[in-house]
Amino acid sequence: MKVQFTETVLRDAQQSLIATRMPFDTYEPILDKLDKAGYYSLECWGGATFDTCLRYLDEDPWERLRKIRKACPNTKLQMLLRGQNLLGYKHYPDDVVRLFVRKSVENGIDVIRIFDALNDLRNIQVAVDETLKAGAIASGTICYTTSPVHTLDEFVKIAKELEKMGVQTICIKDMAGIMSPKEAYELVKAIKANVKLPVVLHTHSTTGLGFMTLLKAVEAGADIIDTAISSFSGGTSQPATETMAYVLRQYGYDVSLDDKLLMDINKFFKDYRGQCLDSGLLNPVVMATATDALNYQIPGGMLSNLVAQLTAMKKLDKLDDVLAETPKVRADLGYPPLVTPMSQMVGVQATNNVLAGERYKNISKEVQAYIKGEYGKAPGTVNPELIKKVLGDEKPITCRFADTLEPGLPAAREYLGDRATCDEDVLSYIAFPQQAEAFFDKRDEKRNRTFTYAIKKV
Ligand code: CO
């Protein structure tokens, strides 16, 4: 049996360990080897890479993608897309979503992993449809979480619907690293028994379950696993590529990775990791195992956010109360998976409830929008009292929220005028307006300088 690997070092691994701050120039020299190592795909774009390119690295994300494509002609390039939210947190109109997907494929993407934080498939439908039209691979994604409403049957139902939508692979996304080997085995078995598509497993090493979870998932029939080259693996990142390859080969699986090239790739990123440790960009703590997420049933990232929030307010003594309140808020909201932006919303609301001394005295704007149905359909039932408190006699939205939005491209095009040199610029602006405008300004400055210099030379 063949098991294939998606290498995450260029996206999720660096996002999880060093806040996505790896510039293109840093990893350019190793792209040729990554391309030849035998991976199923290289996850290298989407997620937080787009935002950090514009905000911190002074890079055009689209140009980065074209450069990766040029350096990697043999391996599929993969990106992560939050359905109707693209790479941000709000819902975009369909014209924007379609153009974003089409331009991603035109600039070099082969595989788009598409998810919705609530597993409301209406929110990924348009992105999936456009991915297929553009001739790329749509990986329909299930956000994994545990709750009374997230049963094996429910997950299988989602997988079947994804298959009906026409996706080519099903990805199980365990963003918090809380999926146990047993749960992975049972879930992959159940999906494989009901759906004919290849199954991909994505997890994180945060709680220490990751390696075991991937192994049991493969035993249950998973076809592709997400791993990170060892020097950028472990902790909040993915399990290590080389380790999984070693183990799976011993069990007789066919792993088509080139070990010599993996050693070179690892050496390269090990040197870079040393620089990151020296500069403080990489905090060694994130590479360690933290089992808090298992004890509290909330992701590690969310726990550290809560601690930071309470510390800033000098209320850290309330941490135990907030941790006890968090699952109650989640239940009131119908058990949303605790992935961005739901994890922040639930955390902030739990904190408000505790600090105000009265539950839902202050309801955040985001939670109100969620209750109105602007994020999609909650997995379970939202507490009716809470609905009444927010909406009064008004009814929540039951349609797909994007259906209420006007097209977004015309206004953005008109606003930018000549400052946008192509559709990609317009999309950068729509996705991250302030960051994109600041980037355009800097780019214009640079161009003007070069132009003046050229005239002087003449
Ligand atoms: Co991840």
Side-chain angles (χ1 to χ4, degrees):
M1 257 253 316
K2 195 173 171 69
V3 180
Q4 293 191 283
F5 286 66
T6 290
E7 174 61 54
T8 64
V9 66
L10 302 181
R11 208 285 298 177
D12 204 359
Q14 67 134 334
Q15 183 171 325
S16 302
L17 296 180
I18 56 165
T20 339
R21 300 297 161 77
M22 205 191 309
F24 173 80
D25 291 348
T26 299
Y27 63 72
E28 184 181 20
I30 201 67
L31 284 175
D32 179 53
K33 286 182 175 165
L34 279 166
D35 187 42
K36 291 179 175 139
Y39 290 109
Y40 164 77
S41 65
L42 298 173
E43 195 199 30
C44 60
W45 211 64
T49 63
F50 199 97
D51 183 16
T52 47
C53 268
L54 292 167
R55 199 189 291 257
Y56 302 108
L57 301 174
D58 199 15
E59 281 184 49
D60 181 341
W62 301 97
E63 193 185 329
R64 172 188 279 205
L65 174 56
R66 289 191 293 272
K67 286 179 180 168
I68 302 173
R69 175 77 287 168
K70 204 164 166 226
C72 300
N74 303 302
T75 308
K76 288 195 266 299
L77 301 184
Q78 184 171 317
M79 74 175 288
L80 180 69
L81 192 81
R82 198 195 300 275
Q84 205 72 26
N85 299 349
L86 299 176
L87 308 173
Y89 304 126
K90 64 174 208 177
H91 283 243
Y92 295 99
D94 290 343
D95 63 333
V96 173
V97 172
R98 287 193 185 276
L99 187 65
F100 198 97
V101 167
R102 206 159 65 233
K103 285 289 160 188
S104 302
V105 176
E106 271 178 33
N107 282 280
I109 287 294
D110 302 290
V111 183
I112 309 189
R113 179 177 292 170
I114 307 168
F115 76 103
D116 175 68
L118 293 174
N119 288 322
D120 182 340
L121 300 187
R122 296 173 304 173
N123 292 335
I124 71 165
Q125 208 175 328
V126 171
V128 167
D129 181 62
E130 194 62 36
T131 302
L132 298 177
K133 279 184 182 147
I137 296 174
S139 186
T141 302
I142 301 169
C143 285
Y144 180 77
T145 188
T146 52
S147 89
V149 298
H150 289 91
T151 57
L152 213 52
D153 286 350
E154 188 54 36
F155 284 129
V156 168
K157 209 175 102 195
I158 299 173
K160 281 181 170 168
E161 282 172 36
L162 288 169
E163 186 178 43
K164 240 187 270 166
M165 281 170 86
V167 305
Q168 291 100 322
T169 62
I170 304 266
C171 172
I172 305 166
K173 178 178 163 69
D174 171 26
M175 51 277 166
I178 53 164
M179 182 190 280
S180 73
K182 180 173 183 286
E183 290 161 348
Y185 187 86
E186 289 168 0
L187 181 55
V188 173
K189 265 265 180 261
I191 292 178
K192 287 299 260 187
N194 287 280
V195 166
K196 289 189 185 63
L197 301 173
V199 170
V200 186
L201 199 85
H202 175 87
T203 186
H204 289 253
S205 294
T206 324
T207 60
L209 296 172
F211 288 98
M212 297 180 278
T213 299
L214 287 184
L215 178 61
K216 293 305 281 185
V218 169
E219 282 181 18
D223 302 270
I224 302 164
I225 54 174
D226 278 15
T227 59
I229 198 75
S230 54
S231 46
F232 262 75
S233 73
T236 55
S237 175
Q238 272 70 50
T241 308
E242 302 97 305
T243 314
M244 288 311 302
Y246 185 88
V247 168
L248 291 173
R249 278 190 186 127
Q250 278 202 346
Y251 278 113
Y253 292 96
D254 172 14
V255 173
S256 61
L257 288 169
D258 183 324
D259 292 337
K260 170 74 186 56
L261 285 176
L262 291 188
M263 283 167 73
D264 293 347
I265 295 164
N266 187 48
K267 163 88 177 60
F268 180 89
F269 284 107
K270 202 169 169 182
D271 290 347
Y272 177 61
R273 182 182 67 183
Q275 294 169 30
C276 295
L277 282 166
D278 288 346
S279 71
L281 178 57
L282 174 56
N283 179 345
V285 171
V286 298
M287 293 184 289
T289 304
T291 53
D292 302 323
L294 301 178
N295 301 327
Y296 298 115
Q297 292 293 314
I298 62 172
M302 182 175 168
L303 183 66
S304 47
N305 273 348
L306 285 177
V307 170
Q309 229 173 67
L310 290 169
T311 307
M313 295 189 263
K314 297 200 167 51
K315 299 278 185 198
L316 196 57
D317 57 312
K318 299 282 186 203
L319 181 62
D320 285 342
D321 295 339
V322 172
L323 288 174
E325 175 66 7
T326 302
K328 292 181 194 159
V329 171
R330 187 176 175 227
D332 284 338
L333 297 180
Y335 300 103
L338 294 177
V339 57
T340 308
M342 298 302 151
S343 45
Q344 288 84 341
M345 283 158 55
V346 170
V348 167
Q349 192 56 52
T351 308
N352 286 352
N353 287 0
V354 168
L355 296 187
E358 184 190 329
R359 303 191 75 215
Y360 303 109
K361 192 175 175 193
N362 310 311
I363 303 179
S364 75
K365 221 172 64 215
E366 289 79 13
V367 169
Q368 292 190 33
Y370 172 88
I371 290 169
K372 280 181 194 154
E374 293 183 10
Y375 286 82
K377 192 178 175 312
T381 313
V382 178
N383 183 341
E385 280 172 44
L386 200 51
I387 297 181
K388 196 154 172 51
K389 193 158 187 176
V390 171
L391 291 176
D393 293 330
E394 216 184 302
K395 289 260 174 298
I397 299 168
T398 52
C399 70
R400 190 182 69 110
F401 184 62
D403 285 334
T404 68
L405 303 173
E406 294 293 322
L409 291 171
R413 282 195 173 116
E414 193 186 316
Y415 171 78
L416 287 172
D418 292 346
R419 296 178 68 205
T421 55
C422 52
D423 278 347
E424 284 82 348
D425 279 354
V426 177
L427 291 167
S428 296
Y429 169 75
I430 292 174
F432 299 100
Q434 285 158 2
Q435 291 73 27
E437 282 200 83
F439 175 80
F440 298 154
D441 287 345
K442 263 192 247 165
R443 187 176 62 183
D444 290 346
E445 243 173 68
K446 256 187 243 164
R447 271 192 195 144
N448 288 342
R449 265 206 309 270
T450 322
F451 184 62
T452 320
Y453 176 70
I455 290 178
K456 273 190 192 150
K457 255 177 89 177
V458 169

